[in-house]
Amino acid sequence: MVNVNPQVIIQTINLNCFYGRMQALTNLNIEVYKNEILGIIGPANSGKTTFLRALNRLNYLNPTYSQKGAVIFDNQNADDIPDDMLRKRIGIIFALPQTLPTSIFQNVAYGPKVHGIKKKSELQGIVESALKKAYLWDEVKDRLDMPAPRLSGGQQQRLCIARTLAVEPEVILYDEPCSGLDPISTAKVEDAMGELKSDYTQILVTNNTKQAARVSDRTAFFLMGEMVEIGLTNTIFTTPQDKRTDDYVTGRFG
Amino acid sequence: MSPGKISEYIIESLIKLSGLIIVGFVILIFLFLFRDAVSLFGGYSPGAFLFGRNWLPISEPPQFGILPLLIGSVYVTAGAIIICVPLGVAAAMYIAEVAPKSLKHILKSLIEILASIPSVVLGFIGIVWLGPFLKNTFGLTTGMCGLTGSLLLAFMAMPTIISISEDALVSVPRTFKEAAYGLGATKWQMLWRVMLPSAASGIIAGIMLGIGRVIGETMVVMMVTGNAPVIPESILQPLRTLTATIAGEMGETVSGSEHYYALFAVGLALFIITFIINLIADISLQKARK
Ligand SMILES: Nc1ncnc2c1ncn2[C@@H]1O[C@H](COP(=O)(O)OP(=O)(O)OP(=O)(O)O)[C@@H](O)[C@H]1O
Ligand SMILES: [Mg+2]
């Protein structure tokens, strides 16, 4: 499944993240390969969210946040890329679907509009193809003008995926995207992720180890702000090198 | 009934009662205005009142055309709104999202101080400073004109608009902001396309309250707009508003005279106008909420 000679698209070098004086991530060195689905697992407060949001600098919305070390994206230091460009290229899906209080259409069209696309016909094309890729088109094609918050939770989450896809990112970050969803909606989101593999690099943070086992190519285990281990998903779940990983994936703690 | 139920019942009744009392007051005010206002129309035609171009209460025969006053009010009010709404909302956006924390606190307390300046003091500033300044800048014959009133009224309405809009902006869920930023929106795009629409109902409420203050304000306009009851050709001319007319002339009229009733009719007109504006605001607010 993984390339023999994987191309690194994101790399962190000695990344340390702080909220005020509290250290949330310590000396993180991780490589993310192009077109893989990388699962991130770990107990609460292990720094998974902090890691994701460090990649597109969303952490900086918190005024107490600071970081040391480097995030390299596409052979460039992420700090050297303007925030809006970086976030266009690295999209994020949050745990709770963050639909905007407008119509389905406007939600998906928001990103392209922000990035300068004005023509209605062009927007319609983008919205349609994004909704299709997110497996939502058939369910909403007749009511694109309906307020998005009226969709079910699972539909809203796929709408958020469509919204992210509409800006044509290269990387998609998911922060526990299914934590509020029922099993059927979860399966649909996972299907969508599988379908997107050929075009996007995806990083999936999840509290549900089984989900990581199901969808990710490689899996990393985080604990108390450190990455304990990273490897092929199969290896992590069957023959991990670190005892703590073993304990976590077999459900002995966490 | 249990004691809890009884106290609940009492509280509920009290709330209902106070609501009814307020409604009762509004109706009483209206009836009171209406009774004295219609007395005018025994001898004076409503058409001449509404569309008369002259307000000459002590000429022979007197003329009570409120058109100049109406237009004066519209000029001053519209001028004030055009100035204070964009400035007020922009200031609210700045304070809510852009200003650094320390500056934010200073600005907020400054605005509270602004709100507490009595209108007479503003009128005074208008007479001794703003009026002469405008006179020199625009080469006017007098600085006591519509624009002077508009500027001061805008100044008075601004604190209300700013603080209510700022509250509305601050209470926009953080998730909306993150969603917009996550899609690569710049701060400005986030503000314009996400924050403003999400806070719209609160901002409109703030604007309406501010406008309410502008429409009802009497002292400032009486002091600085020149008090000329003629139809103004531009906002740079002296004019007179509905409110200033009532306040200025009420003391000189004989109770029960035609002039006296005419002022009540002016009051009634003002009441109806504000009522309609509030109604429109409420309806548009409800539409915006949907
Ligand atoms: N905004 C914040 N301000 C202060 N501390 C924070 C903030 N966000 C996270 N932290 C702290 O940073 C550490 C890492 O948090 P993070 O949210 O990255 O963990 P997580 O692995 O995503 O946890 P969860 O599984 O609960 O989502 C925690 O100790 C947390 O308390
Ligand atoms: Mg988290």
Side-chain angles (χ1 to χ4, degrees):
Chain A
M1 256 209 280
V2 175
N3 289 335
V4 196
N5 205 350
Q7 192 185 342
V8 174
I9 182 164
I10 290 178
Q11 184 184 14
T12 68
I13 302 170
N14 286 328
L15 184 65
N16 290 272
C17 301
F18 307 84
Y19 297 100
R21 271 202 231 124
M22 219 275 317
Q23 182 150 14
L25 269 185
T26 311
N27 284 331
L28 180 68
N29 289 288
I30 193 171
E31 287 181 341
V32 183
Y33 303 149
K34 204 163 185 179
N35 290 83
E36 74 170 334
I37 299 181
L38 173 64
I40 310 279
I41 57 172
N45 295 328
S46 52
K48 307 181 296 292
T49 298
T50 305
F51 163 64
L52 273 197
R53 295 163 66 106
L55 300 182
N56 65 357
R57 294 170 57 86
L58 266 188
N59 281 332
Y60 281 101
L61 293 185
N62 181 338
T64 64
Y65 177 81
S66 63
Q67 81 185 28
K68 279 194 303 210
V71 176
I72 309 294
F73 170 52
D74 197 17
N75 298 320
Q76 233 185 327
N77 191 324
D79 293 346
D80 298 335
I81 305 174
D83 284 352
D84 51 332
M85 283 317 298
L86 183 70
R87 292 173 189 154
K88 177 183 178 327
R89 297 175 66 187
I90 304 182
I92 187 164
I93 312 290
F94 302 95
L96 294 173
Q98 300 192 341
T99 45
L100 297 168
T102 54
S103 69
I104 295 172
F105 183 90
Q106 290 302 336
N107 260 274
V108 184
Y110 179 79
K113 275 188 180 170
V114 152
H115 296 291
I117 295 173
K118 293 207 180 70
K119 273 228 305 275
K120 180 101 199 205
S121 57
E122 199 175 343
L123 285 173
Q124 274 165 340
I126 293 173
V127 169
E128 178 172 342
S129 85
L131 286 170
K132 277 181 176 155
K133 281 193 216 161
Y135 274 74
L136 189 58
W137 175 251
D138 289 332
E139 290 161 57
V140 301
K141 62 170 183 263
D142 300 321
R143 42 175 180 163
L144 292 176
D145 290 328
M146 190 179 89
R150 278 199 218 146
L151 291 169
S152 78
Q155 289 171 328
Q156 287 194 38
Q157 195 59 295
R158 278 175 286 143
L159 179 67
C160 290
I161 295 177
R163 190 174 65 187
T164 298
L165 294 176
V167 300
E168 297 179 345
E170 293 152 56
V171 179
I172 306 176
L173 314 173
Y174 301 83
D175 193 354
E176 302 180 25
C178 303
S179 57
L181 305 186
D182 62 280
I184 292 172
S185 301
T186 300
K188 285 188 177 169
V189 171
E190 288 175 5
D191 284 350
M193 292 181 70
E195 208 64 25
L196 296 171
K197 235 177 93 66
S198 49
D199 296 323
Y200 304 89
T201 304
Q202 300 175 87
I203 305 180
L204 167 68
V205 162
T206 175
N207 264 338
N208 176 344
T209 46
K210 290 208 186 91
Q211 181 173 46
R214 276 197 301 270
V215 284
S216 54
D217 302 317
R218 291 192 308 150
T219 298
F221 173 57
F222 279 40
L223 184 63
M224 288 161 61
E226 291 181 57
M227 183 170 72
V228 174
E229 191 171 347
I230 183 169
L232 290 176
T233 298
N234 202 9
T235 316
I236 294 285
F237 281 92
T238 53
T239 50
Q241 291 182 344
D242 198 291
K243 173 140 187 342
R244 291 169 294 175
T245 315
D246 195 31
D247 287 347
Y248 185 74
V249 297
T250 52
R252 268 190 286 261
F253 87 93
Chain B
M1 269 200 278
S2 70
K5 277 255 173 73
I6 293 176
S7 68
E8 190 141 310
Y9 177 76
I10 294 177
I11 293 173
E12 225 172 75
S13 314
L14 280 177
I15 293 174
K16 252 189 219 158
L17 187 68
S18 28
L20 285 178
I21 288 178
I22 292 173
V23 173
F25 270 131
V26 174
I27 292 175
L28 276 180
I29 291 173
F30 180 77
L31 287 179
F32 175 65
L33 267 177
F34 191 75
R35 192 198 61 192
D36 280 340
V38 289
S39 302
L40 174 72
F41 301 125
Y44 200 83
S45 94
F49 174 74
L50 281 178
F51 304 111
R53 301 174 63 87
N54 296 303
W55 177 263
L56 300 168
I58 44 179
S59 72
E60 232 5 279
Q63 295 187 39
F64 301 112
I66 62 166
L67 206 54
L69 314 178
L70 212 56
I71 295 177
S73 278
V74 168
Y75 268 51
V76 173
T77 311
I81 292 170
I82 289 170
I83 298 164
C84 72
V85 169
L87 275 181
V89 175
M93 288 190 343
Y94 178 76
I95 295 175
E97 275 300 318
V98 186
K101 231 189 185 139
S102 50
L103 190 59
K104 201 179 274 195
H105 289 301
I106 299 174
L107 285 174
K108 283 179 91 163
S109 25
L110 260 181
I111 283 160
E112 267 159 40
I113 295 173
L114 269 190
S116 63
I117 299 178
S119 57
V120 192
V121 175
L122 284 178
F124 190 64
I125 293 173
I127 291 174
V128 301
W129 181 77
L130 185 60
F133 172 77
L134 291 178
K135 180 182 164 181
N136 294 335
T137 324
F138 292 104
L140 307 173
T141 41
T142 169
M144 298 296 105
C145 65
L147 183 60
T148 317
S150 294
L151 282 168
L152 291 176
L153 287 182
F155 203 69
M156 290 180 63
M158 213 95 86
T160 314
I161 296 181
I162 295 177
S163 49
I164 294 179
S165 304
E166 199 246 349
D167 280 350
L169 286 167
V170 167
S171 53
V172 171
R174 193 177 51 101
T175 56
F176 292 0
K177 267 164 60 172
E178 289 190 347
Y181 278 132
L183 291 168
T186 59
K187 182 163 226 153
W188 170 243
Q189 290 165 330
M190 191 279 299
L191 272 170
W192 189 247
R193 287 238 178 80
V194 175
M195 294 285 273
L196 265 192
S198 313
S201 59
I203 292 176
I204 292 173
I207 291 174
M208 290 322 297
L209 278 177
I211 291 178
R213 194 157 182 207
V214 167
I215 294 176
E217 173 55 32
T218 308
M219 186 52 82
V220 163
V221 286
M222 201 155 78
M223 287 170 82
V224 304
T225 54
N227 271 322
V230 289
I231 295 181
E233 273 158 18
S234 89
I235 200 169
L236 293 171
Q237 284 180 357
L239 47 77
R240 165 107 69 83
T241 64
L242 295 165
T243 48
T245 306
I246 300 175
E249 296 180 4
M250 202 41 126
E252 305 160 10
T253 59
V254 183
S255 169
S257 68
E258 202 175 27
H259 186 191
Y260 176 86
Y261 291 134
L263 292 181
F264 271 93
V266 171
L268 184 65
L270 197 58
F271 183 94
I272 292 173
I273 292 170
T274 29
F275 185 79
I276 291 173
I277 290 177
N278 275 327
L279 203 67
I280 294 173
D282 270 357
I283 292 171
S284 55
L285 207 60
Q286 265 168 13
K287 277 209 182 124
R289 286 224 178 90
K290 267 184 204 156

